[in-house]
Amino acid sequence: MNDEIKEYVVNLIEKNQLVISGKGDDELWDCAMPLTDFCSPWDSKKQSEITFKALWDRENLFFSFTVLDSSIHIEKLDDSIDSINNSDRVELFFRPDISLNPYYCLEIDSAARIMDFIAYPNKDFDFNWSWPKNDIVVKSSVNENSFTVEGSISIQSLKDFNLIKNNKIEVGVFRAKYFKGQNGCFEPTWITWVNPNTETPNFHIASSFGTFVLKE
């Protein structure tokens, strides 16, 4: 387990002001604290820069990932779970408590395809579950040297899943980056905000989560 739980402060903005374009270009993002201290504890390669930001307006939690990457890997665009699972993506996991029974996973690729599922301890995944469609918006954009994934999640849905307690949310923030190996196959490198201190890559463990503090 981590000796100290990482915290990220989510600043408050006025309601219905931030526009989700997929580019992360709304001026209100200047009000957010940039989170950049990501690591890949299981891989010695230098990883490309990731900047994560979050804001909230009492109705929605807004998030933005900007990933420096000039070689984005994406599987065929057929919207299948396997395709998204084998593509470069960013991930947000939410848990009500340390038991991880259950927790909620959002994995989003550079084409804004969402692999959402509910999970239980020991990597017991239910892909028939999905985040309520009216409670989540995700858009993305890609340019020569980076991609951005931007979205919003309703505060009501977070409350419905018992994810907000005393203005705090327990969250895992991750990225999967695929590189072509010597055998020609693409293999993932796993990147995380919180080092779970595991021998092999594992985000589906209590020690991989930090805390978002919703600032009033």
Side-chain angles (χ1 to χ4, degrees):
M1 294 293 293
N2 295 308
D3 294 328
E4 183 177 346
I5 301 298
K6 276 189 173 182
E7 287 192 347
Y8 172 76
V9 176
V10 181
N11 288 331
L12 180 67
I13 57 174
E14 292 186 17
K15 290 182 181 179
N16 304 316
Q17 297 295 308
L18 195 152
V19 176
I20 298 296
S21 66
K23 299 179 181 179
D25 55 359
D26 193 302
E27 290 184 357
L28 281 170
W29 282 119
D30 293 339
C31 300
M33 294 179 59
L35 189 160
T36 59
D37 58 334
F38 291 86
C39 64
S40 181
W42 315 279
D43 195 309
S44 60
K45 293 194 301 290
K46 182 180 179 180
Q47 303 302 324
S48 59
E49 182 178 327
I50 304 167
T51 301
F52 174 85
K53 295 180 179 180
L55 293 166
W56 76 301
D57 68 356
R58 302 189 192 278
E59 292 187 356
N60 291 285
L61 173 69
F62 301 96
F63 64 89
S64 173
F65 290 85
T66 298
V67 180
L68 295 186
D69 192 342
S70 58
S71 181
I72 300 166
H73 175 67
I74 189 165
E75 289 277 310
K76 57 184 179 180
L77 293 174
D78 60 6
D79 291 332
S80 68
I81 289 174
D82 285 344
S83 176
I84 301 171
N85 192 50
N86 292 320
S87 298
D88 288 357
R89 61 190 185 276
V90 294
E91 305 178 1
L92 290 172
F93 292 2
F94 301 90
R95 70 181 188 193
D97 56 58
I98 199 171
S99 73
L100 300 182
N101 192 28
Y103 58 108
Y104 304 88
C105 305
L106 298 172
E107 305 194 8
I108 309 164
D109 72 3
S110 60
R113 298 182 300 169
I114 304 175
M115 180 170 65
D116 47 355
F117 54 98
I118 190 171
Y120 302 89
N122 300 313
K123 298 186 179 182
D124 179 9
F125 305 150
D126 180 0
F127 290 102
N128 291 318
W129 182 92
S130 60
W131 205 280
K133 299 304 180 186
N134 292 333
D135 290 299
I136 185 169
V137 173
V138 173
K139 297 182 180 181
S140 67
S141 61
V142 176
N143 63 37
E144 186 177 357
N145 297 309
S146 67
F147 70 91
T148 297
V149 170
E150 186 182 28
S152 66
I153 301 169
S154 76
I155 294 296
Q156 187 59 55
S157 66
L158 293 168
K159 289 180 177 178
D160 290 344
F161 298 141
N162 197 30
L163 296 171
I164 302 179
K165 298 174 182 177
N166 298 318
N167 270 30
K168 294 184 177 181
I169 312 172
E170 297 179 30
V171 188
V173 188
F174 314 110
R175 182 193 179 205
K177 170 60 188 172
Y178 280 78
F179 294 96
K180 183 178 285 189
Q182 293 182 346
N183 60 3
C185 297
F186 282 89
E187 300 292 339
T189 291
W190 303 103
I191 302 162
T192 178
W193 170 38
V194 176
N195 182 351
N197 294 308
T198 55
E199 184 176 348
T200 58
N202 189 0
F203 296 161
H204 300 272
I205 189 170
S207 57
S208 70
F209 286 71
T211 301
F212 284 8
V213 180
L214 302 179
K215 187 176 180 179
E216 291 286 353

